[in-house]
Amino acid sequence: MLNKKSVDDINVKGQRVLVRCDFNVPLKDGKITDENRLVAALPTIKKLIADGGKVILCSHLGKPKGEPKPELSLAPVAVRLSELLGQDVKFAADPEVIGPNAKAAVEAMNDGDVVLLENTRYRAEETKNEESFSKDLASLADVFVNDAFGTAHRAHCSNVGVTQYVDTAVVGYLMQKEIDFLGNAVENPKRPFVAILGGSKVSSKISVINNLLDKVDTLIIGGGMCFTFAKAAGEKVGKSLVEDDYLDYANEMVQKAKDKGVNLLLPVDAVVAKEFSNDVPFHTVEGDMADDEMGLDIGPKTQALYADALKGAKTVVWNGPMGVFEMSNFAAGTIAVAKAMADLEDAVTIIGGGDSAAAVNQLGYGDKMTHISTGGGASLEFLEGKELPGVAAANDK
Ligand code: AMP
């Protein structure tokens, strides 16, 4: 269990409560195309409203790189949040985030009112965790609540710096839920415990592989990174994505799995094409590839092998697609893993955010999973065994 104070441990009646949410939602032509993160933030917001707090919400959206960019304004989020909450969410449209609009809006608040500040990354200090913006944010608040799991692996003004200038800093329900699910899965799993890792590169998942080999019964590897393992084992992988600097590391991990008695599964076949494109012929290869071919998905035998390995699992954690799932010709492996997980009964199934979460939701398996994390990078760092700065900054229980 997370040993941090939460919104259940404080009395916010009449207090100005600054809540760092993760409203980093995809937008198209000013419309929100996936509102999962807004919905996930509602329990904390509703609780603070019900308790009579003056609820001041803040978040980043995209990467405006320290400048006001109208297309990355949080204005559309205020509109949708008003609908979801069934009450007005006043938007404070200050390009400097904390400006005359924000100050006046907060000044005018009654208990239970909600104000949303502008994109915190309009300010260049935000991602550098600089004192000036942390103090500006804190000047509006008596209490700080961090409910933004998606940025918990970063130390920015709006989730870490600000905590130094308020008396009380706690976590929200979403943060608590994310850490509890991921923490329990990794530290106290019902066994067999299976982890599935995919995505493009070994280099970005080194620490995750290493850490999970100490915890799991089975580790399944797919995606681009399996070709570094295949090459390290002496196979010909043609033009597939390979990180030559990590061949020794791949062999070390294979050895570590043997030493630990972990069942490390790597693909036995691959779907290959001559170009990184959905418009060229493709076929399945077992064993060596031709020099001009590249592996873009796991093959049917591997799909069956992985689905079989998942049978009977009691805890499953998945991060990263099995192939280039954005292209329909190379999506079958990712779909097969999502389906095998969705079919599990009586298992804790956790999707570690990012591409795998998008894939699971698009395929309509979202409801079948125990937990879909709202943070890809944050859940990955959590799986590496790192302390997340955004969580560490909250008051201890
Ligand atoms: P990551 O950000 O490391 O989780 O990687 C996700 C990306 O990996 C997705 O955009 C996939 O298209 C890509 N990917 C998965 N399998 C492969 C592959 N075999 N070759 C190249 N890219 C891949």
Side-chain angles (χ1 to χ4, degrees), residues 198-201 204-205 222-227 240-241 271 276 294-298 319-327 355 380:
S200 53
K201 292 183 179 169
S204 63
K205 305 241 159 98
M225 65 180 166
C226 65
F227 301 108
S240 301
L241 191 63
V271 180
F276 191 84
M294 62 178 90
L296 296 173
D297 195 9
I298 56 172
N319 190 298
M322 295 290 100
V324 185
F325 77 109
E326 299 93 332
M327 300 183 197
D355 288 328
L380 212 50

Side-chain angles (χ1 to χ4, degrees), residues 32 51 165 174 182 204 249 271 320-321 323 385 396:
I32 299 163
D51 287 355
Y165 307 102
L174 175 61
L182 286 164
S204 63
Y249 171 79
V271 180
D396 290 332

Side-chain angles (χ1 to χ4, degrees), residues 266-285:
L266 290 159
V268 292
D269 58 353
V271 180
V272 303
K274 290 192 174 169
E275 282 169 43
F276 191 84
S277 159
N278 207 35
D279 303 318
V280 294
F282 58 97
H283 65 280
T284 302
V285 168

Side-chain angles (χ1 to χ4, degrees), residues 28-42:
K28 199 161 184 241
D29 304 325
K31 288 255 174 317
I32 299 163
T33 55
D34 177 349
E35 62 183 32
N36 278 319
R37 284 180 163 165
L38 304 191
V39 173
L42 296 177

Side-chain angles (χ1 to χ4, degrees), residues 94-380:
D94 285 321
E96 70 276 46
V97 188
I98 312 294
N101 287 313
K103 287 177 190 160
V106 171
E107 192 65 34
M109 285 176 99
N110 292 312
D111 294 356
D113 281 355
V114 184
V115 166
L116 173 63
L117 304 179
E118 185 52 284
N119 189 342
T120 51
R121 289 195 192 165
Y122 277 11
R123 288 277 288 262
E125 306 105 296
E126 162 73 333
T127 54
K128 298 183 208 142
N129 196 15
E130 282 176 9
E131 195 179 283
S132 49
F133 186 44
S134 300
K135 281 185 169 166
D136 274 1
L137 286 163
S139 71
L140 289 188
D142 305 305
V143 177
F144 174 72
V145 176
N146 189 1
D147 210 20
F149 179 72
T151 45
H153 58 312
R154 306 274 179 242
H156 293 168
C157 296
S158 65
N159 68 338
V160 172
V162 64
T163 62
Q164 289 174 18
Y165 307 102
V166 291
D167 292 336
T168 308
V170 304
V171 295
Y173 289 140
L174 175 61
M175 187 73 95
Q176 227 177 5
K177 184 171 143 197
E178 292 271 14
I179 304 283
D180 281 349
F181 270 115
L182 286 164
N184 273 331
V186 175
E187 297 309 331
N188 198 12
K190 279 201 277 169
R191 293 185 182 275
F193 175 17
V194 182
I196 311 164
L197 291 178
S200 53
K201 292 183 179 169
V202 179
S203 53
S204 63
K205 305 241 159 98
I206 290 180
S207 315
V208 189
I209 298 172
N210 198 14
N211 190 40
L212 286 179
L213 281 175
D214 292 328
K215 321 259 181 201
V216 299
D217 301 296
T218 298
L219 180 61
I220 292 176
I221 294 192
M225 65 180 166
C226 65
F227 301 108
T228 299
F229 281 86
K231 183 167 177 182
E235 281 176 39
K236 290 194 172 154
V237 295
K239 296 193 292 182
S240 301
L241 191 63
V242 166
E243 291 173 284
D244 283 312
D245 290 348
Y246 290 91
L247 296 174
D248 289 344
Y249 171 79
N251 282 332
E252 276 167 35
M253 289 304 105
V254 171
Q255 189 56 46
K256 179 170 176 175
K258 277 192 192 130
D259 295 345
K260 294 255 167 192
V262 172
N263 184 21
L264 177 67
L265 292 179
L266 290 159
V268 292
D269 58 353
V271 180
V272 303
K274 290 192 174 169
E275 282 169 43
F276 191 84
S277 159
N278 207 35
D279 303 318
V280 294
F282 58 97
H283 65 280
T284 302
V285 168
E286 267 177 64
D288 289 341
M289 290 178 204
D291 289 346
D292 60 352
E293 291 175 335
M294 62 178 90
L296 296 173
D297 195 9
I298 56 172
K301 281 196 179 163
T302 308
Q303 288 175 28
L305 177 75
Y306 289 2
D308 208 44
L310 283 165
K311 278 189 192 135
K314 290 283 178 256
T315 304
V316 185
V317 174
W318 178 23
N319 190 298
M322 295 290 100
V324 185
F325 77 109
E326 299 93 332
M327 300 183 197
S328 58
N329 293 345
F330 312 109
T334 301
I335 294 172
V337 163
K339 183 171 182 329
M341 273 182 83
D343 285 347
L344 289 176
E345 280 169 19
D346 192 28
V348 175
T349 47
I350 296 177
I351 311 296
D355 288 328
S356 346
V360 163
N361 283 324
Q362 273 163 32
L363 293 166
Y365 291 131
D367 291 347
K368 297 265 171 91
M369 304 297 171
T370 312
H371 180 65
I372 301 182
S373 175
T374 54
S379 63
L380 212 50

